[in-house]
């Protein structure tokens, strides 16, 4: 099963580029940019990763970003992730990034955009991994700030496929950003939002995502299982759920394999993803392999999970079908 998963063509739909910053690159960039790190070695930095909920993770995640300063830093970050993903047979990735976490430190929006985009272009050409970009807004920041960043993105509209909402969900409901997301939809961008596991008012937030924002996907969204009506809505509207097992484990001490089984049983379009792989020490393969072990998923269920990611990816039908055929071909050769 491990080798079946490792060699399978895959798609990743929930990965934060800033969450792919490996300690070694962090140290190299810190030295180059004259940024001081609180730890002496990459190993000591990793040893200090201590997450037990969303805020405890976010504190470390934002502190880590200080080493990203120049255009080439964003290029290196993105190219390194795409190289790693391709080495795991991830053929397609949709990448989140958090521009406000950089502009708030004095890094220009253009620096971030151009560095990331150039790496995507080069990785597609050199490595054969396709990727698209999703601009996330930080939900503890104001709707005005989100709107300003959407305006900054207008000249780069065609470098983006969608917008998302991440960071601290507590007291920051989807509806706070209704106007920004309506404007993004006008621009032809796809919409997704985080509904992190076990957040306060999570069912209200999931309902707002669907009814008021009209999202195309939900990131995480595991708690939807607590409401049959929500599950039916998600299923009827074919809303993909990007679940991140290892990320969830830091909050709920389980890879949520039971919940993923339930979603499969209900024919919900659940997908498996890595979230912040450099911090959680698990890329897509490790997430799938650990999940399979915990939940004893059979081969067909793993193929459904991976196939769902291609199905709910923001791609045209022909490209999507091409990937699905590649997956089917792999499965038929393997079995
Ligand atoms: N949830 C919310 N915000 C985030 C996450 C997450 O899992 N990762 C990076 N920013
Ligand atoms: Zn996330």
């Amino acid at each position: 099963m491990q080798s079946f998963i490792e060699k399978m063509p895959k798609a990743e739909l929930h990965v934060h580029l800033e969450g792919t910053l490996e300690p070694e690159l962090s140290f190299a960039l810190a030295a180059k940019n004259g940024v001081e790190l609180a730890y002496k070695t990459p190993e000591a930095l990793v040893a200090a990763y201590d997450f037990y909920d969303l805020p405890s993770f976010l504190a470390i995640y934002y502190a880590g970003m200080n080493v990203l300063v120049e255009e080439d830093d964003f290029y290196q970050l993105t190219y390194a992730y795409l190289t790693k993903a391709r080495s795991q047979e991830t053929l397609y990735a949709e990448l989140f990034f958090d521009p406000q976490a950089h502009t708030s430190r004095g890094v220009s929006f253009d620096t971030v955009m151009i560095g990331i985009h150039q790496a995507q272009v080069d990785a597609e050409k050199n490595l054969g991994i396709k990727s698209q970009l999703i601009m996330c807004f930080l939900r503890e920041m104001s709707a005005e700030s989100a709107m300003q960043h959407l305006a900054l993105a207008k000249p780069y509209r065609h470098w983006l496929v969608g917008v998302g909402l991440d960071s601290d969900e507590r007291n920051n409901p989807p509806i706070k950003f209704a106007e920004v997301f309506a404007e993004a939809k006008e621009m032809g961008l796809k919409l997704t939002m985080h509904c992190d596991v076990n957040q306060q008012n999570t069912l209200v937030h999931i309902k707002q995502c669907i009814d008021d924002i009209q999202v195309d996907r939900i990131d995480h969204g595991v708690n939807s299982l607590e409401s049959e009506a929500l599950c039916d809505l998600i299923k009827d509207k074919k809303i993909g759920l990007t679940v991140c097992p290892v990320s969830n484990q830091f909050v709920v001490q389980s890879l949520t394999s039971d919940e993923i089984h339930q979603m499969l049983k209900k024919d919900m379009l659940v997908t498996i993803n890595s979230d912040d792989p450099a911090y959680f020490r698990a890329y897509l393969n490790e997430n799938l392999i650990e999940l399979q072990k915990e939940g004893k998923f059979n081969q067909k269920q793993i193929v459904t999970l991976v196939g769902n990611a291609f199905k709910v990816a923001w791609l045209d039908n022909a490209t999507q079908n091409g990937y699905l055929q590649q997956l089917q071909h792999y499965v038929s050769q393997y079995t």
Side-chain angles (χ1 to χ4, degrees):
M1 193 57 103
Q2 179 167 337
S3 127
F4 177 69
I5 289 169
E6 284 170 351
K7 298 193 184 102
M8 186 176 340
K10 288 173 287 282
E12 164 105 85
L13 303 180
H14 183 158
V15 58
H16 301 263
L17 270 178
E18 295 89 344
T20 71
L21 178 59
E22 286 289 344
E24 290 74 16
L25 180 57
S26 182
F27 271 74
L29 296 178
K32 174 177 79 74
N33 293 327
V35 174
E36 210 163 313
L37 292 174
Y39 300 92
K40 288 229 151 42
T41 63
E43 293 73 24
L45 180 63
V46 172
Y49 290 169
D50 179 23
F51 324 119
Y52 44 90
D53 59 9
L54 184 55
S56 63
F57 164 71
L58 291 172
I60 291 170
Y61 171 77
Y62 290 120
M65 288 183 206
N66 289 329
V67 302
L68 298 165
V69 180
E70 298 180 310
E71 191 181 297
D72 189 59
D73 305 345
F74 290 91
Y75 180 97
Q76 285 196 56
L77 174 74
T78 307
Y79 202 86
Y81 165 70
L82 292 169
T83 304
K84 175 72 182 179
R86 186 65 189 81
S87 79
Q88 294 203 339
E89 294 302 331
T90 295
L91 303 185
Y92 174 69
E94 290 179 6
L95 313 169
F96 292 137
F97 73 116
D98 290 327
Q100 289 157 300
H102 310 302
T103 55
S104 61
R105 299 181 291 115
V107 176
S108 84
F109 188 82
D110 309 85
T111 297
V112 179
M113 282 304 300
I114 295 167
I116 294 173
H117 179 75
Q118 194 55 51
Q120 289 181 270
V121 170
D122 289 352
E124 183 159 352
K125 185 174 67 173
N126 301 338
L127 310 172
I129 175 168
K130 182 177 172 66
S131 63
Q132 298 198 89
L133 205 49
I134 302 171
M135 182 169 91
C136 284
F137 304 110
L138 303 187
R139 65 201 305 161
E140 70 272 26
M141 292 187 77
S142 67
E144 290 73 31
S145 171
M147 199 60 110
Q148 284 160 9
H149 283 76
L150 189 62
L152 288 174
K154 283 193 175 152
Y156 300 103
R157 162 66 189 87
H158 294 289
W159 290 2
L160 298 176
V161 68
V163 292
L165 185 68
D166 64 3
S167 207
D168 198 353
E169 188 168 338
R170 193 180 160 85
N171 298 328
N172 294 299
I175 198 80
K176 174 177 168 186
F177 297 93
E179 216 180 309
V180 183
F181 276 67
E183 172 86 14
K185 199 182 170 85
E186 278 289 301
M187 289 166 65
L189 292 162
K190 296 282 192 181
L191 312 182
T192 188
M193 286 183 165
H194 277 58
C195 291
D196 273 281
V197 67
N198 288 3
Q199 287 287 310
Q200 188 183 298
N201 298 328
T202 182
L203 297 186
V204 173
H205 290 188
I206 294 170
K207 183 99 171 106
Q208 285 182 3
C209 275
I210 301 170
D211 290 349
D212 301 311
I213 311 295
Q214 301 191 325
V215 292
D216 299 282
R217 287 203 307 251
I218 293 175
D219 299 308
H220 299 291
V222 175
N223 294 85
S224 60
L225 287 166
E226 293 160 22
S227 157
E228 205 157 316
L230 278 181
C231 290
D232 289 344
L233 263 181
I234 288 168
K235 195 185 145 182
D236 292 347
K237 291 182 182 289
K238 298 190 166 62
I239 295 173
L241 299 173
T242 64
V243 176
C244 307
V246 175
S247 172
N248 286 343
Q249 192 172 34
F250 287 100
V251 183
V252 296
Q253 288 75 49
S254 131
L255 297 165
T256 57
S257 54
D258 288 346
E259 288 83 351
I260 291 162
H261 270 298
Q262 287 179 52
M263 288 174 174
L264 284 176
K265 224 175 252 159
K266 290 176 187 287
D267 281 328
M268 293 164 84
L269 290 164
V270 53
T271 70
I272 304 304
N273 306 272
S274 73
D275 210 0
D276 299 285
Y279 289 95
F280 303 147
R281 312 310 292 156
Y283 284 80
L284 186 47
N285 277 350
E286 292 80 14
N287 270 273
L288 281 163
I289 290 163
E290 290 308 308
L291 176 73
Q292 191 280 324
K293 280 189 204 151
E294 183 185 280
K296 303 194 168 49
F297 291 87
N298 63 31
Q299 222 173 58
K300 186 156 170 255
Q301 290 166 323
I302 295 293
V303 173
T304 299
L305 289 167
V306 171
N308 282 348
F310 288 117
K311 283 185 190 161
V312 301
W314 292 335
L315 291 165
D316 61 69
N317 284 342
T319 311
Q320 200 172 68
N321 287 334
Y323 285 126
L324 284 168
Q325 274 167 17
Q326 242 176 293
L327 177 61
Q328 279 318 316
H329 178 73
Y330 172 79
V331 173
S332 62
Q333 274 208 325
Y334 202 94
T335 47

